[in-house]
Amino acid sequence: MSATHLTLLTGASRGMGRAMAEQLLDAGHTLVCISRKTDDALAAKAKQSGATLLQWSFDLAAPEAAAERVGAWLKEQDAQTFDSVTLINNAGTVGRLGPLEKAEATDLVQSLRIGLEAPLLLTAAFLRATADWRGVRKVLNISSGLGRNSMASQAPYCAAKAGMDHFSRAVALEEALRPNGAKIVSLAPGVIDTDMQIAMRGTDAALFPDRGRFEKLKADGLLDSPATAAGKVLAYLARADFGAKPTADVRDPA
């Protein structure tokens, strides 16, 4: 019998998240996408490939409802069905770039709720609901180099990603003490040609002094396409040593 895999993915409506959704469907995963809107083209792809796709519309700036839905739905599933079950916390927002003193409170709250609070709540719900499942349990948090290296005018994004890295380390210690504990990794996927990069290149240099670095990355062809980046991330997820280090980079050697 072929292996059966269940994946829950946030931020599947665009960029690398959208590309990951397509590649997971191609691989035959049962896929649950959690995004602000559903995607008819993705549904058509699932039908064409014969894969099972559920799409839930949630705003992760108010993540409690999404976490409750994840926990309740997982508890309704047969714990013996899947050989693996994975949560990919991919959703995030760069917000409005600029010095912290110029930030609006609502923008700061949204950045931290989407980038840090939502992954925490979803991970907690996932771990509770799958504690007795027989399959391999994985949590993949999509981090960033900016969680490990600070940059001016990016304080909320840096804070969210640094927090994601550190909560991944803490949860990894907890899960290592449990039978069939989940494997958790906070992974930096590299630089990708997405809307975030467009926002950085389009921000006034007076507000974002590192804009030139990102213009050069684009000009020099150093940005991965969303599809290429998605392939690297999913390859890392499938590695036998996944979870050996709770924070990682897609360029880490196997």
Side-chain angles (χ1 to χ4, degrees):
M1 294 179 63
S2 60
T4 56
H5 305 285
L6 168 62
T7 302
L8 296 90
L9 170 66
T10 70
S13 62
R14 59 183 182 176
M16 188 180 73
R18 179 62 162 70
M20 281 195 288
E22 291 186 343
Q23 292 176 29
L24 288 164
L25 291 173
D26 285 340
H29 286 229
T30 296
L31 180 62
V32 178
C33 292
I34 304 168
S35 303
R36 282 179 295 178
K37 58 184 180 180
T38 58
D39 186 328
D40 291 341
L42 204 59
K45 183 174 184 61
K47 184 176 181 180
Q48 181 181 22
S49 63
T52 299
L53 171 67
L54 299 176
Q55 297 190 77
W56 299 342
S57 179
F58 285 101
D59 182 358
L60 292 180
E64 297 93 337
E68 183 178 348
R69 177 73 177 276
V70 164
W73 184 83
L74 286 170
K75 287 178 182 177
E76 293 171 355
Q77 308 310 303
D78 183 350
Q80 302 302 312
T81 297
F82 295 99
D83 295 302
S84 76
V85 55
T86 301
L87 169 66
I88 304 177
N89 285 308
N90 169 70
T93 177
V94 69
R96 189 174 301 173
L97 278 69
L100 187 62
E101 67 176 26
K102 296 182 179 296
E104 298 289 340
T106 53
D107 291 336
L108 295 176
V109 168
Q110 177 171 289
S111 292
L112 291 174
R113 296 206 82 186
I114 294 173
L116 183 56
E117 184 178 337
L120 273 167
L121 292 177
L122 291 168
T123 299
F126 174 86
L127 294 175
R128 282 193 298 267
T130 62
D132 297 326
W133 286 35
R134 72 166 179 87
V136 176
R137 303 155 65 225
K138 298 180 180 180
V139 176
L140 176 60
N141 290 324
I142 302 301
S143 185
S144 169
L146 293 183
R148 301 155 198 186
N149 300 283
S150 57
M151 180 174 287
S153 299
Q154 294 253 38
Y157 188 78
C158 289
K161 295 305 184 183
M164 174 180 276
D165 284 352
H166 211 45
F167 99 67
S168 298
R169 296 183 188 103
V171 175
L173 293 173
E174 298 165 3
E175 292 298 306
L177 302 175
R178 306 180 190 281
N180 193 31
K183 300 177 180 181
I184 181 165
V185 174
S186 191
L187 184 71
V191 287
I192 309 164
D193 199 2
T194 62
D195 290 346
M196 176 179 169
Q197 289 285 330
I198 294 172
M200 290 176 174
R201 296 193 301 269
T203 299
D204 186 342
L207 296 175
F208 183 42
D210 287 289
R211 187 183 78 175
R213 291 173 55 184
F214 293 91
E215 291 174 330
K216 183 170 173 48
L217 286 171
K218 177 68 171 178
D220 292 347
L222 297 178
L223 301 176
D224 275 344
S225 70
T228 298
K232 291 179 180 179
V233 167
L234 295 179
Y236 194 98
L237 179 64
R239 282 169 46 162
D241 66 344
F242 181 90
K245 298 190 301 180
T247 54
D249 188 292
V250 290
R251 296 169 295 184
D252 289 346

